[in-house]
């Protein structure tokens, strides 16, 4: 096998079952990225989030989303950022979309829930039965400090304890899932094994309970790509992903079942494609248009970064 990334075949050629390169007819999940504004700066962040970012989604775009969600008969809204809680329209939006969505997922960095001005949000999550997906790159302070900055780990633990006190992770309707991603250019360990370790360590050390651990492969785009190039290991990492390609994971790649809306309302097959500026392969390519015409099944726009979703046990 080649060790030169120029010889890696385009993703769409590698996929043997070409049906997997087409989306489902009626996607049920709408993922929205409400902007990259964030209170912390993580080394793995693929949207380059941080306090300096100014691309907050506007109220007008949120209005289009609500209409598109309603007429498209979507079931799940999956909200990401940045720290989505920092978008000024966030509270209003999740209250509004709860009239239509069966499931509301919010991806949180946890720390934001402990900061003045945002401490009301855990209660709002409880009221709306929001599924919380919380980023916790590891179960010990040293590793988390390296990836997310000093002081982040104790605040994350504090936020998890607040959520547990409200019933998250305990009450069937209050789902608390955690996300692990590697702190470097290597593939993550097996989800089931790491989940058991997380559960044991977090309960024994801090009394924390959660539902599931999602193990994510770092996608070689955004800030992580810059890190790989700076360290001169981009090619090695890309080869690692390519060699670990697993055709069985493609059927479940998230792009097959959802539409992703960027902060300015542009539509993508996933938020990795958003970073790569690869719009959907349809003339309905903004949420404003989607609010008038539901999307038909479409060809997925792919790139080398798709090997990040299909390495090992899969991750997307
Ligand atoms: S990067 Fe996006 S388009 Fe590519 S396989 Fe993953 S989810 Fe699908």
């Amino acid at each position: 096998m080649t060790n030169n990334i120029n010889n890696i075949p385009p993703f769409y050629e590698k996929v043997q079952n070409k049906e997997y390169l087409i989306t489902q007819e009626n996607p049920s999940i709408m993922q929205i990225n409400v902007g990259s504004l964030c209170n912390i700066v993580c080394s793995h962040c693929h949207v380059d989030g941080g306090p300096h970012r100014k691309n907050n989604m506007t109220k007008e775009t949120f209005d289009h989303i609500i209409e598109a969600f309603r007429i498209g008969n979507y079931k799940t809204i999956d909200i990401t950022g940045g720290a989505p809680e920092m978008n000024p329209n966030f509270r209003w939006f999740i209250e509004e979309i709860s009239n239509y969505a069966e499931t509301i997922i919010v991806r949180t960095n946890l720390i934001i829930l402990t900061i003045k001005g945002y401490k009301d949000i855990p209660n709002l999550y409880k009221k709306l039965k929001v599924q919380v997906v919380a980023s916790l790159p590891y179960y010990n302070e040293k590793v988390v400090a390296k990836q997310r900055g000093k002081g982040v780990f104790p605040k994350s633990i504090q936020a998890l304890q607040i959520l547990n006190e409200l019933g998250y992770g305990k009450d069937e309707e209050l789902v608390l899932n955690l996300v692990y991603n590697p702190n470097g250019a290597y593939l993550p360990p097996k989800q089931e094994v790491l989940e058991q370790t997380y559960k044991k360590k977090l309960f024994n050390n801090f009394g924390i309970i959660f539902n599931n651990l999602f193990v994510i492969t770092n996608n070689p785009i955004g800030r992580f790509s810059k890190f790989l190039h700076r360290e001169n290991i981009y090619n090695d990492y890309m080869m690692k992903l390519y060699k670990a390609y697993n055709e069985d994971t493609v059927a479940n790649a998230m792009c097959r079942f959802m539409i992703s809306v960027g902060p300015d309302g542009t539509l993508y097959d996933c938020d990795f494609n958003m970073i790569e500026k690869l719009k959907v392969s349809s003339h309905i390519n903004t949420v404003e248009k989607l609010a008038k015409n539901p999307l038909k099944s479409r060809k997925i726009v792919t790139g080398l970064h798709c090997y990040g979703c299909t390495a090992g046990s899969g991750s997307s």
Side-chain angles (χ1 to χ4, degrees), residues 11 219 253-255 269-270 272-273 300-302 305-306 309 316:
F11 186 76
N219 205 301
M254 63 179 174
C255 47
D269 295 317
C270 68
F272 298 131
N273 281 9
I300 298 164
V301 180
T302 58
H305 59 289
C306 296
C309 289
S316 72

